[in-house]
Structures are given as C-alpha cells and as structure tokens.
Amino acid sequence: MNKHLTTVAGVAVDTRHWIGGERVASTDTFPDASPIDGSVLADIARGTATEADAAVAAAKAAFPGWAATSRVERARILHAIADGVEKRIEELAIVETTDNGALLRSHRRGVMPRVAHNFRFFADWLLKLEHGDFETRGHSNHVSWDPAGPCVLITPWNAPLMLATWKVAPALAAGNTVVLKPAEWSPLTASLLADIAAEAGLPAGVLNVVQGYGSEIGDALTSHPDVRRISFTGSVPTARRIAASAAANLTPLSLELGGKSPLLVFADADLDLAVDLAVEQYDNAGQVCLAATRFLVEESVAEEFTRRFVDRTMGLRQGDPRDEATDIGPNIHPGQLEKIDGFVRRALAAGARAVIGGHPEDGQYYAPTLLTDVAQDSEIVQEEVFGPVLTLQTFTDEEEAIRLANDTRFGLAATLATGDPERAERVTARLVAGTVWVNCFFVRDLQAPFGGSRLSGVGREGGTWSFDFYCDVKNTVTAPNGWTNHG
Ligand code: NAD
C-alpha cells in the first residue's frame, strides 16, 4: 500500500509533487479538506524552496529537448493529453467537485471537456501560428516565435484544472517547460494532470507540479533566476507580492486578477433575459472572477427587475454539489465564508438592505444575497467579495450608468442588457473592461483575448496573445546578397 496515494470518491490521487518525471515527497504535509462536509481528503506534500529549486532545475534540464521537438510532435502529444483528459472526465469531475465544491454537473459537461479543449486548441493554434515574413528594401524579415524557457504557473482554487490548463497548454505548445503550483485549497486535479501528461508521452521534466502554501514555496519560484515567464491567476495582494519578487530578474509576468464587474440593465432590455443574466452571477457560489456582481439597473425598471430576480433566486437549490439538481454549492473554505460574511455584515451596518439572503447557512454555505441601498464609494461596491453576494444600484441615464460602471479600481468584464444596438455600441466603447458581453454572459472563445484592465490584471491570454506571452518573439533580417561567399 502506497502511503502517498489517497482515494477521493473512488479515484486514486498521488499526494506528492511531480518533479522531473518522478513523484517526490516532502518532510511535511498539509491537510486538504472538502468544502462539502469539511472532511480531510488528503495530506498533501508541503513544498518549500527545496522542492521549488528541484522543479525549476528539472524544467531547465528538460527545456532544450522540448524546445527542439518539432511543432507537429508537440501538437501530437498535446492532443494525446486531451485524449487522456477525455477518458478520465468522470474521475476528474468528481475529484474536482469533492475538492473545491463546484457543481459536478458543470464539471462533467462544461469544465472538463473544456480542459481537454484547452490542449487541442493550443496544439492546433501552434500549427497555424503565423511567422509573419515580409520584405524591407529587398531584405527578408523572418519573425519567429521562440520558446522562452521554464515557466512558473500559479493558479487559484475556484476553477483549478480549467485555469491551470489554460496556462499549461499554451506554455507547452510554445515549447516551454512548466512548473505548475496549484492552490493549496484544491490541489488534487493538478496531480491527476501530471499522471495524464506522463501517460500521453510528455517527456520527464517538461511538466512539473509542486504543491504547498504560497507563502512558503511561492517566493522561491517567482524569484528564481532560471524562470523565464510567470503566469499568475489569483488575488491582487498576491499579485503585488509576486511582481515584487519577479522584479529581481525582471521576469515577464501575466496577471489575471480579480474584478467587480457591472451588469448594466437598460429599460429597453428584454427583462427576462436581463434576469437570466443576473441569476447566472450566483454560479460557482459567486466564486467567479468575471462575475457581474454589481447590478446597475435603470430606475424605471428596477422594481420589476428586482421582483423577478428575487423570484428566480428563491427557486435556486442550494446543497450538495454532487447532486445534479443543485444550483449553488458550498464556498471553498471556512475562512472564505467568514470573509464573505464580514463584507455583508459591514455593508448592513453601513445602511445596506438585504433584499434576499444576507447571512450564512448551515455548513459551508452562504445564502444567495442581494444588497440595495449601497453607496458607490462603500466597501461592498468597491471590493471583490468572491461569494454569492450581489449589489443593486439604479441609474437615470446612460451617462450615469457608464460613470457608475467604470467607478471601481477593477476592469475585468462588463455585461450589458439592452434592446438598442446603437446604445450597446456607444456604451461598450466607453466601458473599461477586458471583455464586454452584450445580451449574453460567459461566452468565451479560446482565440479571444482575455484579461483585465487596471487592478484586474496585466496582459492578455488566449490565441495569439498566449503565444506572444510564452514566446520570445524574434525578427531575423537577411540581406538580399548575403550569400556571395557561400560554396
Ligand atoms: P490567491 O492570490 O490567494 O492565491 C492564488 C495562488 O497564489 C495560490 O496557488 C496560492 O498558493 C498562490 N500564492 C499565494 N501567495 C503566494 C506568493 N507569495 N507567491 C507565489 N504564489 C502565491 O487567490 P485565490 O484566493 O486562490 O483566488 C481567488 C482570486 O483569484 C480572486 O481575486 C479571483 O478574482 C481571482 N481570479 C481571477 C481570475 C482571472 O482570470 N482574472 C480567474 C479566477 C480567479
């Protein structure tokens, strides 16, 4: 019996790091609990600078070989990883749900197929990547996308495998090697990904997975001189620490951070559609960076919108995320629940009114909440809660709607409900957001640029933008008569 293997919902998961094609234990472990019932699922190897250094060394050693592997062969292996993910969708889905509490039905039908698609998409995009050859006064210019080197990828717990593979796939496709550090609250599927990648024939050291608390292993990864790229998805305070640590080597950073995105509902909108979009904001128990958590509703329809929204919210089923009928699962951690409740209690004390919810439920659940009577400069309107807590404010004209929408330090996304295409164009042009959805929400194509403005992030990922980040782009200029001495 291997004491490093744990069984989660019938699936064997190795709790050790994956470094240089081998499982590596640490002296210490940390407990990983399920948000469903608080039970400890596993004792996970607790990495420190030692494991960070070993993983970067393995990534560095594997880099020349992987970078020299043909694009066609790299693409083949990425497709093989996608095949492995598809074969294990059920296992990945149940392990992820048990570990982070998000709905099993969406892991099964949306998230895990998307994980496989991340590998297929970037494998195919690699083969289409333009070289961009052109001529200058008879000289040829050849633009090449050279792999950058070892990349450190650090990811959060709210969509663990989805967000990890959205970075791992383009980094590997580009010819880089990777050290992935999953979040300590939901590390299990990253370990399964290591198994799948090895089975798919990914050479040892090309993908490494290290686990641990960010405060203990993070700095050793992000300040390492052999690391050529750092891609981080997570919170603003952590991003600041990572940026400071990366500054020593000026390591290029991609930062996908939080948001406080608006949903603008104009009186000319299809109100049923607007309410559909609004109710979606409780997805993943509100733990979605892109969530439109601030409803900005034109005054003349605000009462009717609120009535229909509350009706719909009352019909949502909160409970065990493994149950197909559940709409809202638990929040990730007792600490996160406490944080959510703190935001709500302070908002209520400052004069906000809970139209619905406003309190925790039994276990690790928070009642879906809508707060009104909130001031624009209040904490609840300005700061990301990352739980099922939404606010509603009204506006009287387009100008005011835009002003309120843009008046936070974030700029990740914005959603618009309007029946007027000209208004949509006018408003969209003035919104500060990396993504604007008009009469829809969460439609995301992997070739689209994704990222945020202001405190929501630095850089864009997706399609060519990902390759731009994960590659050292080189231009080679050759003279027209440069070969006279040859032969
Ligand atoms: P977090 O910043 O606490 O942790 C994210 C990761 O960083 C974890 O793996 C953690 O271990 C690691 N980390 C912590 N300290 C570190 C350090 N000093 N050095 C290196 N790594 C360190 O974020 P979280 O609570 O896990 O995630 C929630 C946040 O992520 C929210 O703000 C949410 O909006 C954001 N998010 C953004 C996107 C996006 O694409 N923009 C997507 C999902 C989540």
Side-chain angles (χ1 to χ4, degrees), residues 154-158 163 181-184 214 218 232-235 238 241-242 256-258 289 384 386 412 450:
I154 301 176
T155 49
W157 44 263
N158 62 320
L163 291 171
K181 212 292 283 167
E184 50 270 42
F232 170 72
T233 299
S235 66
T238 307
R241 278 196 287 278
I242 290 176
E256 305 274 6
L257 311 177
C289 57
E384 183 184 50
F386 227 53
L412 191 53
F450 175 75

Side-chain angles (χ1 to χ4, degrees), residues 76-110:
R76 189 191 65 74
I77 294 179
L78 292 195
H79 275 291
I81 297 175
D83 293 341
V85 169
E86 277 166 1
K87 265 192 226 127
R88 300 188 69 178
I89 277 184
E90 267 305 304
E91 294 182 7
L92 291 166
I94 187 66
V95 170
E96 195 87 295
T97 290
T98 311
D99 203 12
N100 91 331
L103 299 187
L104 181 59
R105 66 166 196 243
S106 51
H107 282 153
R108 264 188 186 138
R109 291 198 278 279

Side-chain angles (χ1 to χ4, degrees), residues 154-159 163 166-167 181-185 212-222 232-239 241-242 245 255-259 287-290 332 336 339 384 386 410 412 444 450-452 456-457 461:
I154 301 176
T155 49
W157 44 263
N158 62 320
L163 291 171
W166 155 250
K167 297 181 189 302
K181 212 292 283 167
E184 50 270 42
W185 286 346
Y213 293 117
S215 56
E216 294 178 355
I217 195 173
D219 198 45
L221 291 171
T222 52
F232 170 72
T233 299
S235 66
V236 174
T238 307
R241 278 196 287 278
I242 290 176
S245 168
L255 302 173
E256 305 274 6
L257 311 177
Q287 303 165 134
V288 177
C289 57
L290 293 162
I332 183 80
Q336 183 67 15
K339 200 173 137 201
E384 183 184 50
F386 227 53
F410 296 100
L412 191 53
R444 279 191 59 195
F450 175 75
S456 290
E461 293 181 89

